[in-house]
Amino acid sequence: MVQSTTDIVKKSLDALLDDKSFLPEMTGQSRQKAFTSLVSILSTPNHVSKSFLRVTLEDEKVIRIPAFRVQHNNILGPYKGGIRFHESVEENEVINLASLMTLKNALHEVPFGGGKGGIMINPREYSVRELNLICKKYVQYFSEILGPDKDIPAPDVGSSAREMDWMMGEYKSIRPGLPYRGSFTGKSVLNGGSLGRREATGKGVYFTFRYMLHNFVNEQEKWLAERDNIFAKTALKHKDKTLTMAVQGFGNVGSVAALEAFQCNYINNKIVAVSDRHVTLYNSDGLDIPALVKYTSNNGGDLPVDGHQLEEADVKADIQDRDDVLTLDVDVLCLAALGGQIHKDNVSDVKAQIIIEGANAPITTEADRYLSENGVIIAPDILTNAGGVIVSYFEWLQGRETQFFSEEEVYKRLFDKMKETFDTILPQFFGDPFPLRQNCYIHAVMKISTILYRQGKLY
């Protein structure tokens, strides 16, 4: 079970209730009422839109496809969040993901609210023409609520720059004469997208790990050693050792994070396992990640699944079951596939002491609690995978100003932005008893609550 937004908000506000530096103007009964109002406001979305897209397939059959757009909260700016193309998409999942986008943008000081979209399909089962029509229909059905200053979608699971290009083109056709460049982000560079957007999430995921285990631990080693904190002990135990790493998911996020690890000169780590929807590949001496990236780019995104394909990729590896990646004896596990991958039935078999969430909600609430109680450092999705929305913000800015950043400048701005967040959050995490996820939630809820109060929204 994924932690509900109501639970996140309640626990965060409970931690803040006696903090006199938070909303100091509100005391006594007025403070209690304000906190009750905050729970109500932040645990529910502003709007939930649902349609059944009418699509004519190439065989001339007409189907209806469930599609959603959820707008959670826009106190910080226009709604922002990806459109997920997956057969498991359902309303409550999209609502939860939209609320997490609100919190993520608040945590990283990105001036957007939280939104999310979903189309309940397996995109692999449709032709290019059919996918193009599905994208156009989505924009047609939801165009009234979308726009550069209203709600700005982006790619998510199952979608990419291609789909965003199609959608922006349709939006431009529907809204002639109105600004359109910022209506969708994650577009191709030729179509107004930002350099580095595709790689941004994966680079941010690995940068989170690198900054915490290298920069922060080295700079704060003495301070960490003085802390009576179970997570500080875990971090120090892994300092200066050769770290083995496994990556679940080898798509846009997982493959980029794995390549960043392979090329990193700051930390002595090696990728011993990667997985996708078919297999886990394992090599205790380390995998040739560039060779695997090259192979997947030429084979529909899939990893080698047999000896012949491994030979074709020029990669040495043992082939294991796809879920074996979760329970391998490694130091670091990067979860870059889908949600709910570590749960009550397999959590006791997880051996990694550091887990980096590249996907959204890959660990259930019960499993998260079990791991945290055992000193496992979990760098949560809200902290780690914000690279996509941060660079989407840069793309949105570039579209408005029609001035474009170099790829080097994009990554510098991205890492500087994430570093600001880390320098706020990590001292709190290693200095108090809350897990890193809870620290992030508390900080985000505090930011949004303060803005709601300042704008008079708690009355």
Side-chain angles (χ1 to χ4, degrees), residues 50-131:
K50 178 180 180 179
S51 289
F52 290 86
L53 311 182
R54 185 185 186 279
V55 178
T56 303
L57 302 179
E58 294 202 58
D59 63 4
E60 298 185 353
K61 290 179 183 175
V62 175
I63 60 171
R64 300 297 294 270
I65 301 173
F68 306 89
R69 189 66 190 175
V70 173
Q71 298 171 322
H72 176 257
N73 191 283
N74 64 344
I75 195 68
L76 299 179
Y79 301 105
K80 187 81 185 75
I83 303 175
R84 179 166 293 200
F85 288 48
H86 199 271
E87 61 264 42
S88 69
V89 164
E90 53 89 22
E91 186 172 316
N92 288 330
E93 176 200 36
V94 181
I95 290 173
N96 199 57
L97 291 171
S99 66
L100 291 175
M101 282 302 300
T102 300
L103 297 174
K104 184 184 296 182
N105 288 328
L107 175 66
H108 292 276
E109 302 281 346
V110 176
F112 288 137
K116 206 71 174 183
I119 303 176
M120 199 172 77
I121 61 168
N122 179 350
R124 293 174 180 267
E125 295 177 354
Y126 294 84
S127 70
V128 172
R129 176 196 166 278
E130 289 167 345
L131 287 172

Coordinates of all heavy atoms in Angstrom, one line a residue, residues 50-131:
K50 N -12.0 13.3 -16.0 CA -11.9 12.0 -16.6 C -12.7 11.9 -17.9 O -13.8 12.5 -18.0 CB -12.5 10.9 -15.6 CG -12.5 9.5 -16.1 CD -13.1 8.5 -15.1 CE -13.1 7.1 -15.6 NZ -13.7 6.2 -14.6
S51 N -12.2 11.3 -18.9 CA -12.9 11.1 -20.2 C -12.6 9.7 -20.7 O -11.6 9.1 -20.3 CB -12.5 12.1 -21.2 OG -13.0 13.4 -20.9
F52 N -13.5 9.3 -21.6 CA -13.2 8.1 -22.4 C -12.9 8.5 -23.8 O -13.8 8.9 -24.5 CB -14.4 7.1 -22.3 CG -14.6 6.5 -20.9 CD1 -15.3 7.2 -19.9 CD2 -14.0 5.3 -20.6 CE1 -15.5 6.6 -18.7 CE2 -14.2 4.7 -19.4 CZ -14.9 5.4 -18.4
L53 N -11.7 8.4 -24.2 CA -11.3 8.8 -25.5 C -11.8 7.9 -26.6 O -11.7 6.7 -26.5 CB -9.7 8.9 -25.6 CG -8.9 9.6 -24.5 CD1 -7.4 9.5 -24.8 CD2 -9.4 11.0 -24.3
R54 N -12.5 8.5 -27.6 CA -13.0 7.7 -28.7 C -12.0 7.6 -29.8 O -11.7 8.6 -30.4 CB -14.3 8.4 -29.2 CG -15.1 7.5 -30.2 CD -16.3 8.3 -30.8 NE -17.1 7.5 -31.7 CZ -16.8 7.3 -33.0 NH1 -15.7 7.8 -33.5 NH2 -17.6 6.6 -33.7
V55 N -11.5 6.4 -30.0 CA -10.4 6.2 -31.0 C -10.8 5.2 -32.0 O -11.2 4.1 -31.6 CB -9.1 5.8 -30.2 CG1 -8.0 5.6 -31.2 CG2 -8.7 6.9 -29.2
T56 N -10.6 5.5 -33.2 CA -10.8 4.5 -34.3 C -9.4 3.9 -34.7 O -8.5 4.6 -35.1 CB -11.3 5.2 -35.6 OG1 -12.6 5.9 -35.2 CG2 -11.6 4.2 -36.7
L57 N -9.3 2.6 -34.5 CA -8.1 1.9 -34.8 C -7.9 1.6 -36.3 O -8.8 1.9 -37.1 CB -8.1 0.5 -34.0 CG -8.3 0.6 -32.5 CD1 -8.3 -0.8 -31.9 CD2 -7.2 1.4 -31.9
E58 N -6.8 1.2 -36.6 CA -6.5 1.0 -38.1 C -7.3 -0.1 -38.7 O -7.5 -0.1 -39.9 CB -5.0 0.6 -38.2 CG -4.1 1.8 -37.9 CD -2.7 1.8 -38.5 OE1 -2.7 1.7 -39.8 OE2 -1.7 1.8 -37.8
D59 N -7.8 -1.1 -37.9 CA -8.7 -2.1 -38.4 C -10.2 -1.6 -38.4 O -11.1 -2.4 -38.6 CB -8.6 -3.4 -37.6 CG -9.0 -3.2 -36.1 OD1 -9.5 -2.1 -35.8 OD2 -8.9 -4.2 -35.4
E60 N -10.4 -0.3 -38.1 CA -11.7 0.4 -38.2 C -12.6 0.1 -37.0 O -13.7 0.6 -37.0 CB -12.4 0.1 -39.5 CG -11.6 0.6 -40.7 CD -12.4 0.4 -42.0 OE1 -13.5 -0.2 -42.0 OE2 -11.9 0.9 -43.1
K61 N -12.1 -0.6 -36.0 CA -12.8 -0.7 -34.8 C -12.7 0.6 -34.0 O -11.7 1.2 -34.0 CB -12.2 -1.9 -33.9 CG -12.4 -3.3 -34.5 CD -11.8 -4.3 -33.5 CE -11.9 -5.7 -34.1 NZ -11.2 -6.7 -33.3
V62 N -13.8 0.9 -33.3 CA -13.9 2.0 -32.4 C -13.8 1.6 -31.0 O -14.5 0.7 -30.5 CB -15.1 2.8 -32.6 CG1 -15.2 4.0 -31.6 CG2 -15.2 3.4 -34.0
I63 N -12.8 2.1 -30.2 CA -12.6 1.8 -28.8 C -12.8 3.0 -28.0 O -12.6 4.2 -28.5 CB -11.3 1.1 -28.5 CG1 -10.1 2.0 -28.9 CG2 -11.2 -0.3 -29.3 CD1 -8.8 1.5 -28.5
R64 N -13.0 2.9 -26.7 CA -13.0 4.0 -25.7 C -12.0 3.7 -24.7 O -11.9 2.6 -24.1 CB -14.4 4.1 -25.1 CG -15.6 4.3 -26.0 CD -15.5 5.7 -26.8 NE -15.6 6.8 -25.9 CZ -16.7 7.4 -25.6 NH1 -17.9 7.0 -26.1 NH2 -16.7 8.5 -24.8
I65 N -11.1 4.7 -24.5 CA -9.9 4.5 -23.6 C -10.1 5.5 -22.4 O -10.2 6.7 -22.6 CB -8.6 4.8 -24.3 CG1 -8.4 3.9 -25.5 CG2 -7.4 4.7 -23.4 CD1 -7.3 4.2 -26.4
P66 N -10.1 4.9 -21.2 CA -10.1 5.8 -20.0 C -8.9 6.7 -19.9 O -7.8 6.3 -20.1 CB -10.1 4.9 -18.8 CG -10.6 3.5 -19.4 CD -10.0 3.5 -20.8
A67 N -9.1 8.0 -19.7 CA -8.0 9.0 -19.6 C -8.3 10.0 -18.5 O -9.5 10.3 -18.2 CB -7.8 9.7 -20.9
F68 N -7.3 10.5 -17.8 CA -7.4 11.3 -16.6 C -6.5 12.5 -16.7 O -5.4 12.5 -17.3 CB -7.1 10.5 -15.3 CG -7.8 9.2 -15.2 CD1 -7.4 8.1 -15.7 CD2 -9.1 9.2 -14.5 CE1 -8.0 6.9 -15.5 CE2 -9.7 8.0 -14.3 CZ -9.2 6.8 -14.8
R69 N -7.0 13.6 -16.1 CA -6.1 14.7 -15.7 C -6.5 15.2 -14.3 O -7.6 15.6 -14.1 CB -6.2 15.8 -16.7 CG -5.1 16.9 -16.5 CD -3.7 16.4 -16.8 NE -2.6 17.3 -16.3 CZ -1.4 17.0 -16.4 NH1 -0.9 15.8 -16.8 NH2 -0.4 17.9 -16.0
V70 N -5.6 15.1 -13.4 CA -5.8 15.5 -12.0 C -5.0 16.8 -11.7 O -3.8 16.8 -12.0 CB -5.5 14.4 -11.0 CG1 -5.6 14.9 -9.6 CG2 -6.4 13.2 -11.2
Q71 N -5.7 17.8 -11.2 CA -5.0 19.0 -10.8 C -5.1 19.1 -9.3 O -6.2 19.4 -8.7 CB -5.7 20.2 -11.5 CG -5.6 20.2 -13.0 CD -6.4 21.2 -13.7 OE1 -7.5 21.5 -13.3 NE2 -5.9 21.7 -14.8
H72 N -4.0 18.9 -8.6 CA -4.1 18.8 -7.1 C -4.1 20.2 -6.5 O -5.0 20.5 -5.7 CB -2.9 18.0 -6.6 CG -2.8 17.9 -5.1 ND1 -2.0 18.7 -4.4 CD2 -3.6 17.2 -4.2 CE1 -2.2 18.4 -3.1 NE2 -3.1 17.5 -3.0
N73 N -3.1 21.0 -6.7 CA -3.0 22.3 -6.0 C -2.1 23.2 -6.8 O -1.1 22.8 -7.4 CB -2.4 22.1 -4.6 CG -2.5 23.4 -3.8 OD1 -1.8 24.3 -3.9 ND2 -3.5 23.3 -2.8
N74 N -2.5 24.5 -6.9 CA -1.8 25.4 -7.7 C -1.4 26.7 -7.0 O -1.2 27.7 -7.6 CB -2.6 25.8 -9.0 CG -3.9 26.5 -8.7 OD1 -4.4 26.5 -7.6 ND2 -4.5 27.2 -9.7
I75 N -1.2 26.6 -5.7 CA -0.9 27.7 -4.8 C 0.5 28.2 -5.2 O 0.8 29.4 -5.1 CB -1.0 27.4 -3.3 CG1 -1.0 28.7 -2.5 CG2 0.1 26.5 -2.9 CD1 -2.2 29.5 -2.7
L76 N 1.4 27.4 -5.7 CA 2.7 27.8 -6.0 C 2.9 28.2 -7.5 O 4.0 28.7 -7.9 CB 3.7 26.7 -5.7 CG 3.8 26.3 -4.2 CD1 4.8 25.2 -4.0 CD2 4.2 27.5 -3.3
G77 N 1.9 27.9 -8.3 CA 2.0 28.2 -9.7 C 1.2 27.2 -10.6 O 0.4 26.4 -10.0
P78 N 1.3 27.2 -11.9 CA 0.5 26.4 -12.7 C 0.7 24.9 -12.4 O 1.7 24.5 -11.9 CB 1.0 26.6 -14.1 CG 1.7 28.0 -14.1 CD 2.2 28.1 -12.7
Y79 N -0.4 24.1 -12.6 CA -0.3 22.7 -12.4 C 0.8 22.1 -13.3 O 1.0 22.5 -14.4 CB -1.6 22.0 -12.7 CG -2.8 22.5 -11.8 CD1 -3.7 23.3 -12.4 CD2 -2.9 22.1 -10.5 CE1 -4.8 23.8 -11.7 CE2 -4.0 22.6 -9.7 CZ -4.9 23.4 -10.3 OH -6.0 23.9 -9.6
K80 N 1.5 21.1 -12.8 CA 2.6 20.5 -13.6 C 2.7 19.0 -13.2 O 2.8 18.6 -12.1 CB 4.0 21.2 -13.2 CG 5.1 20.8 -14.1 CD 5.1 21.5 -15.4 CE 6.1 21.0 -16.4 NZ 5.8 19.7 -17.0
G81 N 2.8 18.2 -14.3 CA 3.0 16.8 -14.0 C 2.8 16.0 -15.3 O 2.2 16.4 -16.3
G82 N 3.4 14.8 -15.4 CA 3.5 14.0 -16.6 C 2.1 13.3 -16.9 O 1.2 13.3 -16.1
I83 N 2.1 12.7 -18.1 CA 1.0 11.9 -18.6 C 1.5 10.5 -18.7 O 2.4 10.2 -19.5 CB 0.4 12.4 -19.9 CG1 0.0 13.8 -19.8 CG2 -0.7 11.5 -20.3 CD1 -0.5 14.4 -21.2
R84 N 1.0 9.6 -17.9 CA 1.4 8.2 -17.9 C 0.6 7.4 -18.9 O -0.6 7.4 -18.9 CB 1.2 7.7 -16.4 CG 1.6 6.2 -16.2 CD 1.7 5.9 -14.7 NE 2.8 6.6 -14.1 CZ 3.4 6.3 -13.0 NH1 3.0 5.2 -12.3 NH2 4.4 7.0 -12.5
F85 N 1.3 6.6 -19.7 CA 0.7 5.7 -20.6 C 0.9 4.3 -20.1 O 2.0 3.7 -20.3 CB 1.3 5.8 -22.0 CG 0.9 7.0 -22.8 CD1 1.0 8.3 -22.3 CD2 0.5 6.9 -24.1 CE1 0.7 9.4 -23.0 CE2 0.2 8.1 -24.9 CZ 0.3 9.3 -24.3
H86 N -0.1 3.7 -19.4 CA 0.1 2.3 -18.9 C -1.2 1.7 -18.6 O -2.2 2.4 -18.3 CB 0.9 2.4 -17.5 CG 1.5 1.1 -17.1 ND1 0.9 0.2 -16.3 CD2 2.8 0.6 -17.4 CE1 1.7 -0.8 -16.1 NE2 2.8 -0.6 -16.7
E87 N -1.3 0.4 -18.8 CA -2.5 -0.3 -18.6 C -3.1 -0.4 -17.2 O -4.2 -0.6 -16.9 CB -2.4 -1.8 -19.1 CG -1.4 -2.6 -18.4 CD -0.1 -2.7 -19.1 OE1 0.4 -1.6 -19.6 OE2 0.5 -3.8 -19.2
S88 N -2.2 0.0 -16.2 CA -2.6 -0.1 -14.8 C -3.1 1.3 -14.3 O -3.5 1.4 -13.1 CB -1.4 -0.5 -13.9 OG -0.4 0.5 -13.9
V89 N -3.1 2.3 -15.2 CA -3.5 3.6 -14.8 C -5.0 3.6 -14.2 O -5.9 3.0 -14.8 CB -3.5 4.6 -16.0 CG1 -4.3 5.9 -15.7 CG2 -2.0 5.0 -16.3
E90 N -5.2 4.2 -13.0 CA -6.5 4.3 -12.5 C -6.6 5.6 -11.7 O -5.6 6.2 -11.3 CB -6.9 3.1 -11.7 CG -6.0 2.7 -10.6 CD -6.3 3.4 -9.3 OE1 -7.4 3.8 -9.1 OE2 -5.4 3.5 -8.4
E91 N -7.8 6.1 -11.4 CA -8.0 7.4 -10.9 C -7.3 7.7 -9.6 O -6.7 8.7 -9.4 CB -9.6 7.6 -10.7 CG -9.9 9.0 -10.3 CD -11.4 9.2 -10.3 OE1 -12.1 8.8 -11.2 OE2 -11.9 9.9 -9.3
N92 N -7.4 6.8 -8.6 CA -6.8 7.0 -7.3 C -5.3 7.1 -7.4 O -4.6 7.9 -6.7 CB -7.1 6.0 -6.3 CG -8.6 6.1 -5.9 OD1 -9.2 7.2 -5.8 ND2 -9.2 4.9 -5.5
E93 N -4.7 6.3 -8.3 CA -3.2 6.4 -8.5 C -2.8 7.8 -9.1 O -1.9 8.4 -8.6 CB -2.8 5.3 -9.5 CG -1.3 5.4 -9.8 CD -0.9 4.7 -11.1 OE1 -1.7 4.7 -12.1 OE2 0.2 4.1 -11.2
V94 N -3.6 8.3 -10.0 CA -3.3 9.6 -10.7 C -3.5 10.7 -9.6 O -2.7 11.6 -9.6 CB -4.2 9.8 -11.9 CG1 -3.8 11.1 -12.6 CG2 -4.0 8.7 -12.9
I95 N -4.5 10.6 -8.8 CA -4.7 11.6 -7.7 C -3.5 11.6 -6.8 O -3.0 12.7 -6.4 CB -6.0 11.3 -6.9 CG1 -7.2 11.6 -7.8 CG2 -6.1 12.2 -5.7 CD1 -8.5 11.2 -7.2
N96 N -3.0 10.4 -6.4 CA -1.9 10.4 -5.4 C -0.6 10.9 -6.1 O 0.1 11.7 -5.4 CB -1.7 8.9 -5.0 CG -0.9 8.9 -3.7 OD1 -1.2 9.4 -2.7 ND2 0.3 8.1 -3.8
L97 N -0.4 10.6 -7.3 CA 0.8 11.1 -8.0 C 0.7 12.6 -8.2 O 1.8 13.3 -8.1 CB 0.9 10.4 -9.4 CG 1.3 8.9 -9.3 CD1 1.2 8.3 -10.7 CD2 2.7 8.7 -8.7
A98 N -0.5 13.2 -8.5 CA -0.6 14.6 -8.6 C -0.3 15.3 -7.3 O 0.4 16.4 -7.3 CB -2.0 15.0 -9.0
S99 N -0.7 14.7 -6.2 CA -0.4 15.4 -4.9 C 1.1 15.3 -4.6 O 1.7 16.2 -4.0 CB -1.2 14.6 -3.8 OG -0.8 13.3 -3.6
L100 N 1.7 14.2 -5.0 CA 3.2 14.1 -4.8 C 3.9 15.1 -5.6 O 5.0 15.6 -5.2 CB 3.7 12.7 -5.1 CG 3.2 11.6 -4.1 CD1 3.7 10.2 -4.6 CD2 3.7 11.9 -2.7
M101 N 3.4 15.5 -6.8 CA 4.0 16.5 -7.6 C 3.9 17.9 -6.9 O 4.9 18.7 -6.9 CB 3.3 16.6 -9.0 CG 3.8 15.5 -9.9 SD 5.6 15.5 -10.3 CE 5.8 17.2 -10.9
T102 N 2.8 18.1 -6.2 CA 2.7 19.4 -5.4 C 3.8 19.5 -4.4 O 4.5 20.5 -4.3 CB 1.3 19.5 -4.8 OG1 0.3 19.4 -5.7 CG2 1.2 20.7 -3.9
L103 N 4.0 18.3 -3.7 CA 5.0 18.3 -2.6 C 6.4 18.4 -3.2 O 7.3 19.1 -2.7 CB 4.8 17.0 -1.8 CG 3.5 16.9 -1.0 CD1 3.4 15.5 -0.4 CD2 3.4 18.0 0.0
K104 N 6.6 17.7 -4.3 CA 8.0 17.7 -5.0 C 8.4 19.1 -5.4 O 9.5 19.6 -5.2 CB 8.0 16.7 -6.1 CG 9.3 16.6 -6.8 CD 9.3 15.7 -8.0 CE 8.9 14.3 -7.7 NZ 8.8 13.4 -8.8
N105 N 7.4 19.8 -6.1 CA 7.7 21.2 -6.5 C 8.0 22.1 -5.3 O 8.9 23.0 -5.4 CB 6.6 21.7 -7.4 CG 6.6 21.0 -8.8 OD1 7.6 20.6 -9.3 ND2 5.4 20.8 -9.3
A106 N 7.2 21.9 -4.3 CA 7.5 22.8 -3.1 C 8.8 22.5 -2.5 O 9.5 23.4 -2.1 CB 6.3 22.5 -2.1
L107 N 9.2 21.2 -2.4 CA 10.5 20.8 -1.8 C 11.6 21.5 -2.5 O 12.6 21.9 -1.9 CB 10.6 19.3 -1.8 CG 11.9 18.7 -1.3 CD1 12.1 19.0 0.2 CD2 12.0 17.2 -1.5
H108 N 11.6 21.4 -3.9 CA 12.7 21.9 -4.7 C 12.5 23.4 -5.1 O 13.3 23.8 -6.0 CB 12.9 21.0 -5.9 CG 13.3 19.6 -5.6 ND1 14.6 19.3 -5.4 CD2 12.6 18.5 -5.3 CE1 14.7 18.0 -5.1 NE2 13.5 17.5 -5.1
E109 N 11.6 24.1 -4.5 CA 11.4 25.5 -4.8 C 11.2 25.7 -6.3 O 11.7 26.7 -6.9 CB 12.6 26.3 -4.4 CG 12.9 26.2 -2.9 CD 12.0 27.1 -2.0 OE1 11.3 27.9 -2.6 OE2 11.9 26.9 -0.8
V110 N 10.4 24.9 -7.0 CA 10.0 25.0 -8.4 C 8.6 25.7 -8.4 O 7.7 25.2 -7.7 CB 10.0 23.7 -9.1 CG1 9.5 23.8 -10.5 CG2 11.4 23.0 -9.1
P111 N 8.4 26.8 -9.1 CA 7.2 27.5 -9.0 C 6.0 26.9 -9.8 O 5.4 27.6 -10.7 CB 7.6 28.9 -9.6 CG 8.7 28.6 -10.6 CD 9.4 27.5 -10.0
F112 N 5.7 25.7 -9.5 CA 4.6 25.0 -10.1 C 3.8 24.3 -9.0 O 4.3 24.0 -8.0 CB 5.1 23.9 -11.1 CG 5.7 24.4 -12.4 CD1 6.9 23.8 -12.9 CD2 5.1 25.4 -13.1 CE1 7.4 24.2 -14.1 CE2 5.7 25.9 -14.3 CZ 6.8 25.3 -14.8
G113 N 2.5 24.1 -9.4 CA 1.7 23.2 -8.5 C 1.8 21.8 -9.0 O 2.7 21.4 -9.8
G114 N 0.9 20.9 -8.5 CA 1.0 19.5 -8.8 C -0.2 19.0 -9.7 O -1.3 19.3 -9.4
G115 N 0.2 18.3 -10.7 CA -0.8 17.7 -11.6 C -0.3 16.4 -12.1 O 0.8 16.0 -11.9
K116 N -1.2 15.6 -12.7 CA -0.8 14.3 -13.2 C -1.9 13.9 -14.2 O -3.1 14.2 -14.1 CB -0.7 13.3 -12.2 CG 0.3 12.1 -12.5 CD 1.7 12.6 -12.6 CE 2.7 11.5 -12.8 NZ 4.1 12.0 -12.7
G117 N -1.4 13.2 -15.3 CA -2.4 12.6 -16.2 C -2.1 11.1 -16.4 O -1.1 10.6 -16.1
G118 N -3.1 10.5 -17.0 CA -2.9 9.1 -17.3 C -3.8 8.6 -18.4 O -5.0 9.1 -18.6
I119 N -3.3 7.7 -19.2 CA -4.1 7.0 -20.3 C -4.0 5.5 -20.1 O -2.9 5.0 -20.1 CB -3.7 7.5 -21.7 CG1 -3.7 9.0 -21.9 CG2 -4.5 6.8 -22.8 CD1 -3.2 9.5 -23.2
M120 N -5.1 4.8 -20.0 CA -5.1 3.4 -19.6 C -4.8 2.6 -20.8 O -5.8 1.9 -21.3 CB -6.3 3.0 -18.9 CG -6.2 1.7 -18.1 SD -7.6 1.4 -17.0 CE -8.7 0.8 -18.2
I121 N -3.6 2.5 -21.3 CA -3.2 1.7 -22.4 C -1.8 1.1 -22.2 O -1.1 1.6 -21.4 CB -3.2 2.5 -23.8 CG1 -2.2 3.6 -23.7 CG2 -4.6 3.0 -24.1 CD1 -1.9 4.2 -25.1
N122 N -1.6 0.0 -22.9 CA -0.2 -0.4 -23.1 C 0.3 0.1 -24.5 O -0.2 -0.4 -25.5 CB -0.1 -2.0 -23.1 CG 1.3 -2.5 -23.3 OD1 2.2 -1.7 -23.6 ND2 1.5 -3.8 -23.0
P123 N 1.1 1.1 -24.5 CA 1.5 1.7 -25.8 C 2.1 0.8 -26.8 O 2.1 1.0 -28.0 CB 2.4 2.8 -25.4 CG 2.9 2.5 -24.0 CD 1.8 1.7 -23.4
R124 N 2.7 -0.3 -26.3 CA 3.3 -1.3 -27.2 C 2.3 -2.0 -28.0 O 2.6 -2.7 -29.0 CB 4.1 -2.3 -26.4 CG 5.4 -1.7 -25.7 CD 6.0 -2.8 -24.8 NE 7.2 -2.2 -24.1 CZ 8.5 -2.3 -24.6 NH1 8.7 -2.9 -25.7 NH2 9.5 -1.8 -23.9
E125 N 1.0 -2.0 -27.7 CA 0.0 -2.7 -28.4 C -0.7 -1.9 -29.5 O -1.6 -2.3 -30.1 CB -1.1 -3.2 -27.4 CG -0.6 -4.2 -26.4 CD -1.6 -4.6 -25.4 OE1 -2.7 -4.0 -25.4 OE2 -1.3 -5.5 -24.6
Y126 N -0.2 -0.6 -29.7 CA -0.8 0.3 -30.7 C 0.2 0.7 -31.7 O 1.4 0.8 -31.4 CB -1.4 1.5 -30.0 CG -2.5 1.2 -29.0 CD1 -2.3 0.7 -27.7 CD2 -3.9 1.2 -29.5 CE1 -3.4 0.4 -26.9 CE2 -4.9 0.9 -28.7 CZ -4.7 0.5 -27.4 OH -5.7 0.2 -26.6
S127 N -0.3 0.9 -32.9 CA 0.6 1.4 -34.0 C 1.0 2.9 -33.7 O 0.3 3.6 -32.9 CB -0.1 1.3 -35.3 OG -1.2 2.2 -35.4
V128 N 1.9 3.4 -34.5 CA 2.3 4.8 -34.4 C 1.2 5.7 -34.7 O 0.9 6.7 -34.0 CB 3.6 5.1 -35.3 CG1 3.8 6.6 -35.3 CG2 4.8 4.3 -34.8
R129 N 0.4 5.4 -35.8 CA -0.7 6.2 -36.1 C -1.8 6.2 -35.0 O -2.4 7.2 -34.7 CB -1.3 5.6 -37.4 CG -2.6 6.4 -37.9 CD -3.4 5.6 -38.9 NE -4.7 6.2 -39.0 CZ -5.8 5.9 -38.2 NH1 -5.6 5.0 -37.2 NH2 -6.9 6.4 -38.4
E130 N -2.0 5.0 -34.4 CA -3.0 5.0 -33.4 C -2.6 5.8 -32.1 O -3.4 6.4 -31.5 CB -3.3 3.5 -33.0 CG -4.0 2.7 -34.1 CD -4.0 1.2 -33.9 OE1 -3.2 0.7 -33.1 OE2 -4.8 0.5 -34.6
L131 N -1.3 5.7 -31.8 CA -0.8 6.5 -30.7 C -0.9 8.0 -30.9 O -1.2 8.7 -30.0 CB 0.7 6.1 -30.4 CG 0.9 4.7 -29.7 CD1 2.4 4.4 -29.7 CD2 0.3 4.7 -28.3

